[in-house]
Amino acid sequence: MIHKISRTALMLGGAIFAFPALAESTPENTGSGAAEAGSEVVDYGDREITVRGDVLYSDQLNSVKTPTPIIDVPQSVTITTQEDILQRGFTSIGQIVDYTPGVSNSQGEGHRDAIVFRGVRSTADFFIDGIRDDVQYYRGLYNLEQVEILRGPNALLFGRGGTGGIVNRVTKKGVLGETFGNGQIAIDTFGEFSVQGDLNLAASEAVALRVNASYESLNNHRDFYDGERIGFNPTARIELDQGTVLDLSYEYANHDRFIDRGVPTGTDGRPVEAFENIVFGDPDQNFATLEAHLFRANLQHEFSSEVKGVFSAFYGDYDKVYANQYASDYDQANTPDVVTLDGYIDNTQRQNLLLSANLVGEFATGAVEHTLLFGAEYISTSSDQDRFNSFWSTTQDDNEVFAITRPLNLARGVGINALGQTTTNDFTADLNDFTQVEIDVLSIYIQDEIKLTDWLNLVVGGRFDSFDIEVLNVPAGELRTRRDEEFSPRGGLILKPAENVSIYASYSQSFLPRSGEQFDNINGDNDALEPDTFTNLEAGLKWDFAQGLSLTTAIFEIEQSSPQPSDNDPETLDVIDSRVQGFELQLQGEITNGWSISAGYSFLDGEQVNRTGPTGLRPRELPENMFSIWNNIEVTDRLGVGFGLTHQDESFIDNSNTAVLPAYTRIDAAAYYDISDRFRVQVNIENVTDTLYFPNSHAAHQASVGAPLNARFALTGRF
């Protein structure tokens, strides 16, 4: 189906392009894929824009792997395009999540992306061009064509995990036959600075070279916070012959940032507002560094007009260190105020090799049409990880008590404790764990999208995973191995009373090995237990009920068993069984000429079902209501404004339901002005009302402090 579009708002898979000058400057809209079926060329006289309609193309390695219109995908999908990222001033996955229904951010211990998908917490359900990207770090946005967030059943396409949802980043590829460039310089009121560029060169009719690069000097509202982030991503697209295209990519990532674990909660279980400006850490021992080398290759071949193959290879080498001190206990009854600090330093060296192959065929058996997907995937992971606890000279263990001052009397691992004694921390004396892990995963999956009639589609399929893990506990010299073989079924029913309406229901199962999403270990009881299994039911409605306006609703139920930070010791994990039900609504599109909207609402309810203590407890990080809305208004051909808000109900920080993350509402705004056809200036304002809020947490005494009123100024150009 082809959406009709206007000059002021372009719809691509439900995402809104509201700035015409930037839409013109994005060659992806006119590059590869323009010849695909379902595309539309719109002539505005001074320029021509090609819109690829509402299809997630498999030749772009997008999430669903088949050329399925979004309206016919039996689950909730939110797409944030490159245009959205630029115009909204997004610099992180977390900012995108703030405006996505059904998902929220977790703190991630201040050193990684961590998302709660419909009550399911994950740091590993991240993908890049459909390939698993499970190392814990903050992912950049500088080289992306779009970000896809899929909620609901995902096991068939993505294997282990993926219970509540996944995030897939689609990277920019070379554009054949064109030479262009664009870039952006930005600075905010905290002093954070960034510059990024995108250059595409047509080396010949059949070869395109593209380079995306970014540098960010980090800063924010918290004491001691600083760092830098470097990204460099050269790519090449080679048309080997008609119908055969090879994409090659190398990405270098170098990140260095301060870690902030937030503030403790008081006797009422809520974050102590009086501590909003205090950092409970060491200015020199709270840090995270990452150096990564990522190699990607993708070969697309059309065997015929009905059969296409996509073959991908990925190799990633990651070297990551994060160290931190954080508040582990706070007793408000003490006078003067004192806080207990705990800490550790964690090292990870990981190498991931992933090979995948997908065949997509379209054919008919009589009057029944099929889109058949057959795929296989092989993953080999080698991961060494060790953790050393803090070791204080005064207490001879990992905890020490300090008076609460701004700043704490602590720096470079040396401090004055609450008794006035000099104490030093040693991050080399107390080894917590050291494991070396080897993993081999072989997966085979098949799915058939069946069009029985014009009004009835079926999706059926299954995935088989063989998961082999070998863990060497280095200090004990103990080697353990385990193999898990799991089958994950998927089924979906799509009713289409009209071409622009679909009513669907879907079911899926998924699993998570007992080694956890980060392969922690299989020692002790973990060696004997079967993988955690998950079931996911969803039903929904998708309705493109007006020109350029789309409504999506969904109801769902998830049963999960997952490892989560222990209430008593957040360095360790407890396995919690829970059941979550909910409802989602998403509205995107153009209300009137020049006014576009993106709005989402979710209602989440749930209970823990395996606790030996009190019954009826609510799962942690599960706000009952979440709502977000963003409006963009084109005032003139050159001037536009945007405004919106994001709201999150209160939720529990811990599974014992004693610590609370308060509800908050944040209002944001934006404005842009096109100086010329090539240059734009814009300002994005966050937290217009300067509200004090605590957006996420990791444990009871680690609640993040939201940023006060701030603004980001950017100059964007195309060449």
Side-chain angles (χ1 to χ4, degrees), residues 577-646:
D577 292 345
S578 60
R579 183 182 298 111
V580 176
Q581 307 89 27
F583 168 78
E584 274 176 19
L585 183 148
Q586 183 172 265
L587 179 68
Q588 292 183 308
E590 190 176 34
I591 301 295
T592 63
N593 187 32
W595 176 20
S596 58
I597 189 173
S598 176
Y601 167 78
S602 66
F603 170 82
L604 298 171
D605 191 19
E607 63 176 341
Q608 300 174 45
V609 296
N610 74 330
R611 294 185 63 92
T612 56
T615 60
L617 294 177
R618 189 176 177 88
R620 58 176 295 176
E621 299 178 297
L622 190 73
E624 187 171 60
N625 296 283
M626 290 188 290
F627 173 74
S628 66
I629 185 170
W630 183 262
N631 298 270
N632 191 84
I633 298 174
E634 186 178 332
V635 180
T636 70
D637 287 344
R638 292 187 178 275
L639 176 65
V641 296
F643 59 92
L645 64 83
T646 177

Side-chain angles (χ1 to χ4, degrees), residues 460-499:
V460 293
R463 178 183 180 115
F464 172 80
D465 290 276
S466 176
F467 184 91
D468 288 272
I469 183 169
E470 178 181 284
V471 178
L472 174 63
N473 184 339
V474 176
E478 181 182 25
L479 180 68
R480 295 206 178 197
T481 62
R482 179 179 175 89
R483 169 178 289 185
D484 292 308
E485 295 181 340
E486 294 292 326
F487 178 76
S488 302
R490 183 192 190 191
L493 175 71
I494 302 102
L495 300 176
K496 295 187 65 64
E499 182 65 23

Side-chain angles (χ1 to χ4, degrees), residues 2 56 69 87 112 145 227-228 267 272 302 329 356 362-363 440 485 496 573 628 647 703:
I2 300 173
L56 295 175
Q87 67 177 250
R112 61 191 179 185
E145 179 179 317
E228 64 178 16
T267 53
V272 182
E302 293 184 4
D329 193 21
S356 71
E362 296 178 294
F363 62 95
D440 289 291
E485 295 181 340
K496 295 187 65 64
L573 301 175
S628 66
H647 169 82

Side-chain angles (χ1 to χ4, degrees), residues 189-437:
T189 50
F190 298 127
E192 182 161 301
F193 169 80
S194 66
V195 58
Q196 63 185 58
D198 177 6
L199 177 64
N200 188 88
L201 300 174
S204 69
E205 292 184 357
V207 178
L209 304 177
R210 190 167 187 175
V211 178
N212 280 269
S214 174
Y215 172 79
E216 297 170 82
S217 176
L218 305 177
N219 211 331
N220 71 7
H221 59 296
R222 301 283 283 161
D223 288 349
F224 315 126
Y225 185 87
D226 64 359
E228 64 178 16
R229 183 160 63 174
I230 299 170
F232 178 63
N233 182 203
T235 65
R237 167 162 286 193
I238 306 168
E239 189 175 48
L240 301 177
D241 57 45
Q242 188 172 3
T244 305
V245 175
L246 175 65
D247 286 299
L248 300 173
S249 170
Y250 163 72
E251 183 176 1
Y252 173 73
N254 191 320
H255 301 174
D256 182 0
R257 70 170 61 221
F258 181 79
I259 288 180
D260 179 13
R261 297 281 289 266
V263 301
T265 56
T267 53
D268 61 355
R270 295 174 178 269
V272 182
E273 294 187 2
F275 298 157
E276 63 171 298
N277 294 318
I278 299 177
V279 172
F280 291 86
D282 186 317
D284 303 287
Q285 290 193 335
N286 280 51
F287 67 88
T289 63
L290 169 79
E291 185 172 21
H293 302 271
L294 312 175
F295 301 87
R296 296 185 289 272
N298 170 250
L299 179 67
Q300 308 163 39
H301 178 68
E302 293 184 4
F303 295 96
S304 68
S305 58
E306 293 83 21
V307 180
K308 176 188 289 185
V310 180
F311 311 92
S312 301
F314 171 83
Y315 177 78
D317 183 280
Y318 307 85
D319 188 352
K320 182 186 172 187
V321 179
Y322 72 97
N324 62 144
Q325 302 288 345
Y326 59 89
S328 60
D329 193 21
Y330 169 63
D331 185 354
Q332 213 164 6
N334 281 317
T335 303
D337 273 352
V338 296
V339 65
T340 301
L341 294 189
D342 200 344
Y344 53 84
I345 185 169
D346 191 288
N347 298 273
T348 299
Q349 294 83 39
R350 184 174 298 174
Q351 295 81 41
N352 283 349
L353 173 66
L354 298 94
L355 305 174
S356 71
N358 295 292
L359 286 176
V360 180
E362 296 178 294
F363 62 95
T365 54
V368 178
E369 299 178 12
H370 301 262
T371 300
L372 184 66
L373 167 67
F374 176 76
E377 185 177 76
Y378 171 73
I379 301 176
S380 176
T381 294
S382 177
S383 185
D384 293 0
Q385 48 263 324
D386 64 74
R387 173 172 291 187
F388 283 84
N389 297 322
S390 296
F391 189 79
W392 296 100
S393 59
T394 44
T395 62
Q396 294 292 291
D397 68 12
D398 57 347
N399 289 281
E400 180 55 283
V401 179
F402 292 86
I404 298 178
T405 59
R406 182 187 182 192
L408 298 182
N409 206 335
L410 174 65
R412 298 181 177 87
V414 181
I416 306 297
N417 68 14
L419 298 178
Q421 302 168 322
T422 298
T423 184
T424 60
N425 173 51
D426 185 354
F427 267 146
T428 65
D430 182 10
L431 178 65
N432 186 74
D433 59 71
F434 178 15
T435 57
Q436 296 177 331
V437 180

Side-chain angles (χ1 to χ4, degrees), residues 633-701:
I633 298 174
E634 186 178 332
V635 180
T636 70
D637 287 344
R638 292 187 178 275
L639 176 65
V641 296
F643 59 92
L645 64 83
T646 177
H647 169 82
Q648 182 171 298
D649 271 2
E650 73 174 28
S651 61
F652 291 110
I653 296 175
D654 55 2
N655 283 307
S656 56
N657 290 186
T658 58
V660 176
L661 204 61
Y664 73 89
T665 301
R666 193 187 76 211
I667 298 175
D668 303 324
Y672 77 90
Y673 181 75
D674 291 330
I675 302 171
S676 68
D677 291 339
R678 294 184 179 275
F679 291 98
R680 162 174 296 174
V681 291
Q682 68 184 66
V683 57
N684 296 87
I685 303 173
E686 183 182 82
N687 197 0
V688 172
T689 57
D690 200 24
T691 299
L692 174 62
Y693 70 105
F694 302 89
N696 49 56
S697 60
H698 180 72
H701 297 297

Side-chain angles (χ1 to χ4, degrees), residues 465-615:
D465 290 276
S466 176
F467 184 91
D468 288 272
I469 183 169
E470 178 181 284
V471 178
L472 174 63
N473 184 339
V474 176
E478 181 182 25
L479 180 68
R480 295 206 178 197
T481 62
R482 179 179 175 89
R483 169 178 289 185
D484 292 308
E485 295 181 340
E486 294 292 326
F487 178 76
S488 302
R490 183 192 190 191
L493 175 71
I494 302 102
L495 300 176
K496 295 187 65 64
E499 182 65 23
N500 64 327
V501 178
S502 70
I503 303 169
Y504 69 88
S506 61
Y507 168 83
S508 179
Q509 287 186 355
S510 183
F511 79 100
L512 183 67
R514 277 292 173 165
S515 58
E517 61 181 18
Q518 294 296 330
F519 328 122
D520 291 318
N521 66 73
I522 54 171
N523 296 319
D525 292 340
N526 289 332
D527 186 49
L529 298 177
E530 294 296 319
D532 295 321
T533 57
F534 313 89
T535 61
N536 199 319
L537 291 168
E538 180 174 340
L541 166 71
K542 297 183 180 183
W543 186 5
D544 295 339
F545 60 86
Q547 181 176 338
L549 196 62
S550 176
L551 173 70
T552 301
T553 65
I555 57 173
F556 50 86
E557 179 179 86
I558 299 171
E559 293 184 359
Q560 66 151 330
S561 179
S562 63
Q564 301 179 22
S566 169
D567 292 343
N568 297 322
D569 182 2
E571 291 185 33
T572 63
L573 301 175
D574 291 336
V575 176
I576 303 295
D577 292 345
S578 60
R579 183 182 298 111
V580 176
Q581 307 89 27
F583 168 78
E584 274 176 19
L585 183 148
Q586 183 172 265
L587 179 68
Q588 292 183 308
E590 190 176 34
I591 301 295
T592 63
N593 187 32
W595 176 20
S596 58
I597 189 173
S598 176
Y601 167 78
S602 66
F603 170 82
L604 298 171
D605 191 19
E607 63 176 341
Q608 300 174 45
V609 296
N610 74 330
R611 294 185 63 92
T612 56
T615 60

